[in-house]
Amino acid sequence: FLDNNLETAPIVSQEIIGPAQITFGASGSSKDILQEAKTLVERFNAGALSAPITQIHQRTVSPSAAEHALKSIVSAGAIGTLIVMFFMIAFYRLFGLFASVALIIYTALTLAVFKLVPITMTLAGVAGFILSVGMAVDANILIFERTREELKRGVARLAAIEEGFRRAWPSIRDSNVSTIITAVILYAFTSSFVKGFALALGIGVIISMFSAIFVTRSMLRVFTRDKTQ
């Protein structure tokens, strides 16, 4: 149906469940409008489904259910972090205590950055944050294992700590840089909740590197100097 008094794009006048009417504006010659109509028909036919659609399952999720799921995953992340801290203290003793304090500082810094950016903490964002906590713990474990190897060789305590950080740094750098590159790719080429996951993971990993290299290292240096005086 061609309406010569309209200067608009094609208008779908009703739900298309059978014969329907689409209105075209007269923005050009009748030949152009006819070609436009034919093109629109071809697009409709190209997108037509040959098989019928049958509803198999339907589910309605209320906002309160999503809120409950978010609280559950936050609680699970907090409990998991506490268990990891307990393990580090039990296995590494004083080193583990320092790592736990550094992990608390890391968590506070990361949440502060999330507040400043700001980042909407969806389920995917919380998952990215928890994964970055694991990266922070992994960095501390690498440092402690390297330090223990130096102590077993009879190296002085302060020198062992410095050597442990030096030897662990290449592994920490490579793993974190690889994760950051992955997060950047996910953020650039995906959409929706995956972007939130990638952004939370990338920010968390960057802060975890700072926490492991500077916070844990500073505490160990201060403690070692106090013990040797």
Side-chain angles (χ1 to χ4, degrees), residues 90-112:
F91 194 79
Y92 292 104
R93 305 294 181 178
L94 193 59
F95 283 173
L97 179 61
F98 289 145
S100 299
V101 174
L103 191 59
I104 294 173
I105 296 174
Y106 157 77
T107 302
L109 288 175
T110 305
L111 294 179

Side-chain angles (χ1 to χ4, degrees), residues 55-77:
Q55 179 175 323
I56 298 177
H57 177 71
Q58 178 177 346
R59 181 182 179 186
T60 302
V61 179
S62 65
S64 59
E67 182 182 1
H68 175 72
L70 181 59
K71 289 181 179 179
S72 297
I73 194 172
V74 170
S75 299

Side-chain angles (χ1 to χ4, degrees), residues 106 110 114 128-129 132-133 136 199-209:
Y106 157 77
T110 305
F114 286 172
F129 169 67
S132 67
V133 171
L199 184 59
L201 177 61
I203 293 176
V205 168
I206 292 173
I207 299 177
S208 72
M209 292 179 65

Side-chain angles (χ1 to χ4, degrees), residues 164-201:
F165 273 91
R166 189 188 67 81
R167 294 181 59 192
W169 168 244
S171 299
I172 296 173
R173 178 197 60 207
D174 294 346
S175 61
N176 282 271
V177 169
S178 299
T179 304
I180 292 172
I181 293 173
T182 303
V184 170
I185 294 174
L186 288 175
Y187 187 84
F189 296 100
T190 59
S191 60
S192 185
F193 63 92
V194 181
K195 281 184 176 290
F197 170 82
L199 184 59
L201 177 61

